[in-house]
Amino acid sequence: MKMAKRIENLSPYPFVEIIRKIAEKRARGEDVVSFAVGDPDMPTPPHIIEKLCQAAHDPANHRYPETAGLPGLRQAIAGWYQKRFGVSLDADKEVLPLIGAKEGVAHIALCFIDPGDIALVPDPAYPVYSVSTMLAGGNSYYMPLTEENNFLPDLDIIPENVLKGAKLLWINYPNNPTGAIADLDFFNRVIKFAQQHDLAICHDGPYTEVAFDGCQPLSFMQANGAKEIGVEFHSLSKSYNMTGWRIGMVVGNAEMIDALKRIKSNLDSGIPQAIQHAAIEALTGPQDCIKEHNTIYQRRRDLVIDMLGSIGLEAKPPKAGLYIWAKVPAGYTSADFASDLLEQVGVVVTPGISFGKGGEGYVRFSLTLPDAGLVKGLSRLAKWRDTKNKFRPKR
Ligand SMILES: Cc1ncc(COP(=O)(O)O)c(C=O)c1O
């Protein structure tokens, strides 16, 4: 058997390995507290489930769906963008439902990247931007996100020869893993830059609805000219606790959306229609659940920040998103710290290095576990630190 080179270059998805380790420990009867994956622990709201059950009973929804999605879903997405962001979208040309944002994020590389082409990718970042670039035969140029720059890329330092070969520019705000948010001025600068260098922009924004302290994160589509040059990926996963149903969307530039639709119509057979009906209900039905979830996440954020502070791990409270980006103690790499935590106290965090070299020096705590779990995990960390007198790597 001779596998393709791309398989040799493809590491297992970081969370698969983490989930495997957790399962192994749990199978041995060990109690593991996991702060690893950003998978909401709260259930999908009941009115959405109710709609899904109703739709599942309708034989019209038992057949192949269309790639473009139900017209009603495209209209619901356009209506939600109008209501939430004041952005007008043509439901037929500028909206495409996805099997979760991840699917679209992965497939769009096939629309732009030929062998040898470059995608500009933030570092640290959600790993799929660079992996999909690699699978398409392209190369990622990594734009460092540093605390000094508020975790926004410095576009001015990208070398001219890189820009000549670049076709796509990835951004993601509210940002995973750093928790940073972007303002309109940043989005405007990105658009101007992309116009100058003939780049298409992909903004990945699945966390705009998870926000605290009254913050209302922006859609990239609110920036002038966004639709002429880019698209935005979004999702119902985090907004409505719907990770398990696999439903998201991409909106914006009609040409980019048409290209993605062409790829998808050749590769997948659409989104199960009952799930599309559930998504329509989520987007057009009562929105109280978002505020309710955010109240819970904000309480968890404060709890984690307080406890990390008293343990001596430095982290800033994010205004949005599901994550706390905390600095690892001196002397540790992020992987060693995460590994010691798992082996010695059964607490799982995601090492920053899983998000790229720029994530080194940090670990990510997800807020998607109940308060009791958060307290249990962080108390173990505190006790561990006390028994060691302070954090010190054992090697
Ligand atoms: C930045 C980012 N983009 C996209 C996704 C994927 O979302 P979905 O569940 O819609 O595929 C995630 C999931 O964690 C994410 O963090």
Side-chain angles (χ1 to χ4, degrees):
M1 205 188 290
K2 290 180 193 135
M3 297 258 180
K5 288 224 172 47
R6 68 177 68 85
I7 285 292
E8 281 168 28
N9 295 335
L10 187 63
S11 314
Y13 195 58
F15 294 104
V16 171
E17 188 53 17
I18 292 173
I19 290 164
R20 190 190 60 76
K21 277 194 189 156
I22 297 172
E24 222 175 70
K25 287 204 158 266
R26 286 186 178 149
R28 288 203 299 265
E30 293 176 37
D31 178 33
V32 178
V33 180
S34 175
F35 292 87
V37 187
D39 187 0
D41 56 310
M42 293 176 270
T44 309
H47 65 284
I48 302 173
I49 298 294
E50 194 49 50
K51 183 58 82 177
L52 178 65
C53 294
Q54 277 169 20
H57 283 293
D58 182 350
N61 297 323
H62 297 176
R63 312 190 66 189
Y64 281 126
E66 282 184 33
T67 303
L70 291 168
L73 176 56
R74 294 199 307 275
Q75 278 148 16
I77 293 168
W80 183 79
Y81 259 84
Q82 183 69 59
K83 214 163 152 187
R84 167 67 177 86
F85 299 114
V87 167
S88 299
L89 295 167
D90 180 327
D92 291 328
K93 297 197 177 107
E94 295 172 341
V95 174
L96 179 65
L98 300 170
I99 314 168
K102 184 178 185 180
E103 177 262 306
V105 164
H107 280 144
I108 195 124
L110 298 176
C111 304
F112 283 91
I113 303 295
D114 286 318
D117 287 344
I118 295 174
L120 307 176
V121 173
D123 180 18
Y126 183 56
V128 188
Y129 316 140
S130 55
V131 166
S132 58
T133 304
M134 184 275 282
L135 291 177
N139 300 308
S140 296
Y141 173 84
Y142 294 103
M143 306 179 289
L145 303 186
T146 61
E147 196 173 347
E148 301 78 68
N149 276 347
N150 300 317
F151 300 111
L152 302 171
D154 182 353
L155 303 172
D156 298 331
I157 61 170
I158 304 172
E160 202 52 46
N161 63 324
V162 169
L163 289 168
K164 279 204 184 94
K167 285 185 154 175
L168 267 190
L169 167 59
W170 280 101
I171 47 173
N172 156 231
Y173 295 96
N175 184 258
N176 173 16
T178 68
I181 50 174
D183 59 14
L184 213 49
D185 179 53
F186 171 73
F187 286 147
N188 287 333
R189 274 189 285 130
V190 172
I191 290 172
K192 201 163 157 220
F193 181 81
Q195 284 164 343
Q196 280 164 358
H197 299 284
D198 194 19
L199 302 168
I201 301 168
C202 288
H203 179 246
D204 188 18
Y207 296 95
T208 62
E209 303 318 288
V210 185
F212 320 119
D213 309 324
C215 168
Q216 289 204 309
L218 300 176
S219 161
F220 171 66
M221 287 295 131
Q222 287 171 282
N224 271 337
K227 248 200 247 183
E228 275 84 71
I229 201 156
V231 289
E232 175 163 273
F233 293 90
H234 212 298
S235 174
L236 280 78
S237 286
K238 321 286 174 168
S239 313
Y240 303 101
N241 302 340
M242 288 177 73
T243 46
W245 304 114
R246 309 309 306 132
I247 182 124
M249 61 272 208
V250 58
V251 304
N253 185 270
E255 208 183 329
M256 291 173 74
I257 285 187
D258 189 54
L260 185 55
K261 203 188 303 177
R262 211 168 337 145
I263 293 280
K264 279 174 57 58
S265 64
N266 280 284
L267 292 183
D268 69 58
S269 298
I271 305 155
Q273 281 191 183
I275 293 171
Q276 297 192 50
H277 283 289
I280 296 172
E281 177 64 23
L283 294 167
T284 59
Q287 300 295 304
D288 321 285
C289 55
I290 292 190
K291 210 167 158 202
E292 286 160 21
H293 301 151
N294 285 345
T295 305
I296 294 169
Y297 287 133
Q298 182 170 325
R299 186 181 68 227
R300 293 178 183 175
R301 175 203 66 172
D302 293 342
L303 201 154
V304 173
I305 290 286
D306 273 3
M307 287 188 80
L308 288 180
S310 58
I311 293 167
L313 289 183
E314 196 186 322
K316 293 217 170 86
K319 289 244 175 291
L322 288 175
Y323 311 107
I324 306 289
W325 192 230
K327 287 196 177 147
V328 298
Y332 274 104
T333 65
S334 63
D336 287 344
F337 187 61
S339 160
D340 277 8
L341 268 185
L342 175 61
E343 294 311 325
Q344 297 181 30
V345 284
V347 171
V348 187
V349 295
T350 311
I353 193 75
S354 306
F355 302 97
K357 284 202 186 91
E360 189 47 272
Y362 292 87
V363 286
R364 193 192 76 171
F365 289 78
S366 161
L367 300 175
T368 53
L369 63 170
D371 294 19
L374 294 175
V375 173
K376 179 157 84 171
L378 292 167
S379 304
R380 285 187 194 176
L381 228 150
K383 210 161 142 204
W384 183 53
R385 179 194 179 277
D386 289 345
T387 55
K388 290 163 79 85
N389 198 19
K390 60 180 174 182
F391 291 119
R392 194 172 291 137
K394 65 172 185 280
R395 357 189 129 64

